[in-house]
Amino acid sequence: MNQYLAITSRGLENLLAEELEQLGANNIQVVSAGVRFKADQAMAYRCCLWVRTASRIIQVLSEFNVRDDMDLYLGATAINWPDYFGSDTRIIVDFNGTNREIRNSQYGAMKVKDAIVDCFTKADLRRPSIDRERPELRIHMRLSGEKGVLGLDMAGSGLHQRGYRSEAGKAPLRETHAAALVMKSGWTVDKPLLDPMCGSGTLLIEAAMIAAGIAPGIKRQRWGFESIKDFDKEAWLEIHAEAKVKSRRGPAKLETKFFGREMDHRVLSIARDNAGRAGVKDLIDFEYGDATQLTSPEGFSNGTILCNPPYGERLGTTPELITLYTEFGNRLKLAFAGSTAAIYSSNNELLSCLRMRADKQFKLSNGALDCVLKSYLITAGGVKKVEGEKEGQLEDKQVAPDFANRLKKNITKLKKWAKKEGIECYRIYDADLPNYNAAIDQYKDYLIIQEYAAPKTVPEETARRRIMDILRATIQVTGVDNNKVILKVRERQKGKNQYQKLSSAERHMTVNEFGVELKVNLYDYLDTGLFLDHRITRRKLGEMAKGKDFLNLFAYTGSASCHAACGGAKSTTTVDMSNTYLRWAQENMELNGKVGNEHEFIQADCLQWLQEVDDTFDLIFIDPPTFSNSKRMNQSFDVQRDHIMLMENLKRMLRPEGQIVFSNNKRQFKMDFEKLESLGLQAKNISDKTLPMDFGRNKQIHNCWIITHKED
């Protein structure tokens, strides 16, 4: 008998050990990410053909200590490689693992390859060729700390490559992984199985192959063990022929029903093709279907639902997924009472949206993602029809009732106010409750939820659960389409990060503010292009600007320039360092029909431009960053430290009866009245008059001043 190592994912070792025991392997021993066993050649071939959860099976040739590259080389040369394969065999060395001395797997593979080649040349034999593209035999080296295992890969390539899947949908499961989920789902072959989000069909195909007794390796055209010198062809042909007969007879005898539902027609077609290649196409009923509208198929009674729904790892997908999981949970309780469900996900918060209590769970990572398979016994408890609702519409218990009640009150108060004011964008929640630390802004029929980064004292899991509750409750309270809910995470921004870009997409909409049309981008930046707390300031600028030459510094997207122009400004000059925002400002002006030479746009470092320009203006608006150290600026800027320097330059540009509207967002900002007076300027604090009602709870969100020449 030979020693073998079957390799698998961490967490699947015991499942693999059970498989090997059922196949007849001996001396089974579970190790980290694998199972050791002993078998004769025929049993080794059978295990390669039939095992479903192993990624590779290695015939162990040697085990030795590896402290450095010399130990590795000497350990590999101790094997008489010509005993196992000939000079004509195309080989490749796979090296997994590192230690303190061997830190690079490619270097480790090269040392093993050198040892093999030297073994042939020392025996006066032609060296075997290294073929990365089409190797006939793979040499496998596994290094864990100072322990090395070296052997031959019996399959030649990953055992997950069943041969039936030519194409997959998004984020496909490996076949070995899918088989493990089927085995741990609680499903048995006497029960129907439904995957309501089946994608390319891997879970159902693996289950159907198990039920029909089809060997997972039956489609494989080439095996590594065929290139080993002691290959027993006769034994292999007998084992393979027996499996082939079972693969033909099994499906014909099977009465188990399998159902797959998928919303993407292209992926559904791929699933059917994959099932055809696997020999189980006639066993699986694939149909177009939406999991949020799921109904029990004919012939499905007290069966098992198994699925791997999307996890939502990327920004912007969470609101849609909350609705998906919530509605899916409702459909399960409404249409599948008495059945069981096994749901695989990396996101416990999303699983909580199912509103069901798991009776079992099985942790199994999917690549780098920590995932869990949770099993549920579906009952109709907690689900009831509400009089007057449509078929299939369910009453759902309110999530986060304290937050939801506050949000309802805010919306009731603000909706009428916004309509009366003539605004389409306003804040409906601003961290009103300490446990729900987020801001929610309404842009027409869209909602932006900005999650403030939680303090370090709040556990990450708690913070994730709270934002999930905010999302779910907001969708419940407002009834907004989940595709129109955008989630962003807001941390304290400094300098160049203040307008951080989130994606490369371009998605805009136009909103109305006191009769002025403005373009906003809800998705691609942390900010939308419109600071809602400066709304009253912009309106005031419009009222002040009639017949005046207006200057807008640190202009961002030029919304203040638009208000000034629409208010009758004689001219506008818009200055910002970003070409992107200047183009945006020009588009905003064009939306309002304000084009012509009287409207100038200047790309410049505002601090440097202030020191160099000689023009004068009647009305100047300046809303600088609290702090900036942008590489594109010649100097750093701190609004508290440098505001007098700003005023010194602005005084030179301000006409005798002119006014400066100076705004900033620094909390506890202190105007240096003494130095301001020495410049011949005076300031009046108008912060309380520029704070909109929807920001009433956050009185320090900005401060605003009118600065004029000092009266004699």
Side-chain angles (χ1 to χ4, degrees), residues 309 325 343-356 372-374 376 468 472:
Y325 278 69
I343 317 296
Y344 183 61
S345 178
S346 71
N347 194 318
N348 268 309
E349 287 73 32
L350 283 173
L351 286 172
S352 71
C353 295
L354 295 170
R355 308 302 292 273
M356 298 192 300
V372 62
L373 178 71
K374 289 193 174 184
Y376 307 85
M468 191 69 68
R472 292 169 63 191

Side-chain angles (χ1 to χ4, degrees), residues 373-617:
L373 178 71
K374 289 193 174 184
S375 297
Y376 307 85
L377 178 60
I378 304 171
T379 64
V383 179
K384 62 179 180 179
K385 293 277 188 68
V386 179
E387 189 176 349
E389 286 187 333
K390 295 178 182 178
E391 178 68 26
Q393 196 172 5
L394 305 173
E395 180 184 49
D396 199 5
K397 185 179 178 183
Q398 179 64 65
V399 178
D402 292 346
F403 165 78
N405 289 334
R406 176 59 65 91
L407 185 61
K408 286 176 187 175
K409 290 178 182 178
N410 289 356
I411 291 172
T412 301
K413 179 175 69 172
L414 292 168
K415 194 171 183 179
K416 293 179 181 178
W417 163 81
K419 186 175 182 180
K420 182 180 177 182
E421 288 285 304
I423 56 176
E424 294 180 319
C425 315
Y426 53 97
R427 180 153 293 184
I428 59 176
Y429 179 87
D430 196 5
D432 298 29
L433 303 176
N435 283 346
Y436 299 100
N437 193 22
I440 305 176
D441 295 327
Q442 181 145 359
Y443 284 76
K444 289 188 174 177
D445 55 347
Y446 283 77
L447 293 178
I448 296 179
I449 300 177
Q450 300 178 66
E451 175 193 9
Y452 294 116
K456 292 182 179 178
T457 53
V458 177
E460 184 180 347
E461 185 176 342
T462 301
R464 284 202 312 268
R465 187 179 66 251
R466 285 175 179 171
I467 191 60
M468 191 69 68
D469 286 347
I470 288 172
L471 282 161
R472 292 169 63 191
T474 300
I475 291 170
Q476 279 184 321
V477 168
T478 63
V480 70
D481 185 335
N482 61 77
N483 292 312
K484 293 184 176 181
V485 180
I486 300 108
L487 173 65
K488 299 178 180 180
V489 179
R490 178 175 288 278
E491 300 179 25
R492 293 189 180 277
Q493 301 295 323
K494 292 185 178 180
K496 63 184 179 181
N497 292 325
Q498 60 183 321
Y499 307 136
Q500 182 182 0
K501 191 160 187 178
L502 300 177
S503 77
S504 59
E506 292 289 333
R507 289 171 285 187
H508 301 108
M509 66 185 292
T510 301
V511 297
N512 189 287
E513 181 181 80
F514 304 126
V516 176
E517 297 289 317
L518 298 168
K519 185 181 83 168
V520 293
N521 184 325
L522 306 187
Y523 291 90
D524 301 326
Y525 296 84
L526 192 57
D527 290 303
T528 65
L530 186 64
F531 295 126
L532 301 185
D533 63 298
H534 288 297
R535 184 190 309 117
I536 293 178
T537 307
R538 289 189 289 270
R539 181 172 65 180
K540 187 172 185 64
L541 288 167
E543 294 166 351
M544 297 167 67
K546 188 172 184 179
K548 296 179 180 178
D549 293 315
F550 173 75
L551 171 64
N552 184 5
L553 289 163
F554 299 98
Y556 190 32
T557 60
S559 53
S561 300
C562 291
H563 275 270
C566 291
K570 181 180 176 184
S571 71
T572 65
T573 302
T574 304
V575 186
D576 197 272
M577 191 165 57
S578 166
N579 273 321
T580 298
Y581 293 124
L582 275 178
R583 286 195 299 272
W584 196 330
Q586 286 178 284
E587 291 171 9
N588 276 336
M589 293 287 270
E590 290 168 3
L591 279 173
N592 294 280
K594 303 302 177 182
V595 294
N597 294 333
E598 68 271 26
H599 302 296
E600 187 177 7
F601 301 87
I602 299 172
Q603 190 270 321
D605 173 346
C606 290
L607 298 178
Q608 185 178 349
W609 186 82
L610 275 173
Q611 295 168 13
E612 297 172 353
V613 75
D614 293 325
D615 296 339
T616 59
F617 299 88

Side-chain angles (χ1 to χ4, degrees), residues 119-263:
C119 186
F120 275 82
T121 55
K122 286 176 183 177
D124 292 327
L125 297 171
R126 184 165 48 84
R127 56 178 287 172
S129 60
I130 308 299
D131 191 332
R132 290 183 173 81
E133 300 299 323
R134 296 180 302 107
E136 295 171 294
L137 184 63
R138 305 185 84 93
I139 316 300
H140 186 89
M141 177 73 199
R142 196 184 202 202
L143 181 62
S144 178
E146 293 186 352
K147 300 294 183 181
V149 177
L150 184 55
L152 306 174
D153 188 330
M154 296 291 283
S157 60
L159 286 169
H160 70 279
Q161 297 175 17
R162 313 283 210 226
Y164 64 75
R165 195 164 75 178
S166 63
E167 227 184 324
K170 294 179 181 178
L173 285 172
R174 277 197 168 190
E175 292 86 336
T176 46
H177 206 81
L181 293 177
V182 170
M183 293 176 186
K184 297 299 289 187
S185 67
W187 169 76
T188 54
V189 295
D190 58 330
K191 294 180 181 178
L193 182 67
L194 164 66
D195 184 348
M197 293 173 253
C198 69
S200 57
T202 309
L203 283 168
L204 290 169
I205 292 169
E206 289 295 321
M209 290 175 72
I210 291 171
I214 298 174
I218 197 67
K219 295 288 182 180
R220 183 181 287 267
Q221 298 299 311
R222 177 75 190 166
W223 295 86
F225 54 70
E226 293 177 278
S227 295
I228 301 174
K229 281 188 172 180
D230 65 355
F231 171 52
D232 188 340
K233 187 174 182 179
E234 187 175 333
W236 166 241
L237 289 176
E238 184 178 341
I239 291 166
H240 191 269
E242 178 190 358
K244 207 162 186 178
V245 170
K246 287 183 178 180
S247 72
R248 287 197 305 268
R249 293 178 179 174
K253 295 178 180 178
L254 190 64
E255 295 182 358
T256 307
K257 296 181 181 297
F258 300 88
F259 304 91
R261 301 292 180 262
E262 171 59 42
M263 285 188 66

Side-chain angles (χ1 to χ4, degrees), residues 14-207:
N14 290 326
L15 197 61
L16 174 56
E18 290 174 14
E19 276 200 275
L20 291 168
E21 184 178 11
Q22 290 171 6
L23 288 168
N26 297 308
N27 298 92
I28 295 169
Q29 179 189 357
V30 171
V31 296
S32 177
V35 177
R36 288 175 170 274
F37 66 98
K38 287 186 176 180
D40 58 23
Q41 281 182 303
M43 179 53 63
Y45 300 158
R46 189 176 299 277
C47 290
C48 287
L49 183 63
W50 281 97
V51 76
R52 298 182 190 275
T53 59
S55 56
R56 295 185 184 276
I57 293 181
I58 308 300
Q59 181 182 341
V60 178
L61 302 184
S62 180
E63 299 179 66
F64 49 93
N65 290 329
V66 181
R67 289 178 294 273
D68 53 28
D69 55 356
M70 183 55 71
D71 284 345
L72 179 61
Y73 177 82
L74 292 175
T77 54
I79 298 170
N80 189 23
W81 294 100
D83 284 349
Y84 296 98
F85 57 89
S87 300
D88 294 331
T89 306
R90 301 188 305 274
I91 65 167
I92 188 68
V93 178
D94 294 326
F95 194 100
N96 290 305
T98 57
N99 64 16
R100 284 183 297 179
E101 295 298 322
I102 301 173
R103 301 181 180 181
N104 184 287
S105 59
Q106 288 184 334
Y107 177 72
M110 182 189 71
K111 297 303 290 184
V112 174
K113 182 265 295 180
D114 289 346
I116 294 171
V117 169
D118 290 348
C119 186
F120 275 82
T121 55
K122 286 176 183 177
D124 292 327
L125 297 171
R126 184 165 48 84
R127 56 178 287 172
S129 60
I130 308 299
D131 191 332
R132 290 183 173 81
E133 300 299 323
R134 296 180 302 107
E136 295 171 294
L137 184 63
R138 305 185 84 93
I139 316 300
H140 186 89
M141 177 73 199
R142 196 184 202 202
L143 181 62
S144 178
E146 293 186 352
K147 300 294 183 181
V149 177
L150 184 55
L152 306 174
D153 188 330
M154 296 291 283
S157 60
L159 286 169
H160 70 279
Q161 297 175 17
R162 313 283 210 226
Y164 64 75
R165 195 164 75 178
S166 63
E167 227 184 324
K170 294 179 181 178
L173 285 172
R174 277 197 168 190
E175 292 86 336
T176 46
H177 206 81
L181 293 177
V182 170
M183 293 176 186
K184 297 299 289 187
S185 67
W187 169 76
T188 54
V189 295
D190 58 330
K191 294 180 181 178
L193 182 67
L194 164 66
D195 184 348
M197 293 173 253
C198 69
S200 57
T202 309
L203 283 168
L204 290 169
I205 292 169
E206 289 295 321

Side-chain angles (χ1 to χ4, degrees), residues 627-669:
F627 176 81
S628 181
N629 60 355
S630 170
K631 292 178 182 178
R632 296 174 63 189
M633 296 177 68
N634 292 332
Q635 55 192 306
S636 68
F637 175 80
D638 182 295
V639 71
Q640 183 64 69
R641 181 192 69 198
D642 298 324
H643 71 280
I644 293 300
M645 176 269 289
L646 284 178
M647 296 307 148
E648 187 176 359
N649 284 293
L650 290 174
K651 182 195 174 187
R652 187 184 76 254
M653 305 170 66
L654 188 66
R655 291 172 184 164
E657 300 301 319
Q659 294 175 298
I660 300 168
V661 178
F662 169 49
S663 179
N664 69 75
N665 291 77
K666 180 175 175 61
R667 291 178 180 271
Q668 308 299 333
F669 173 81

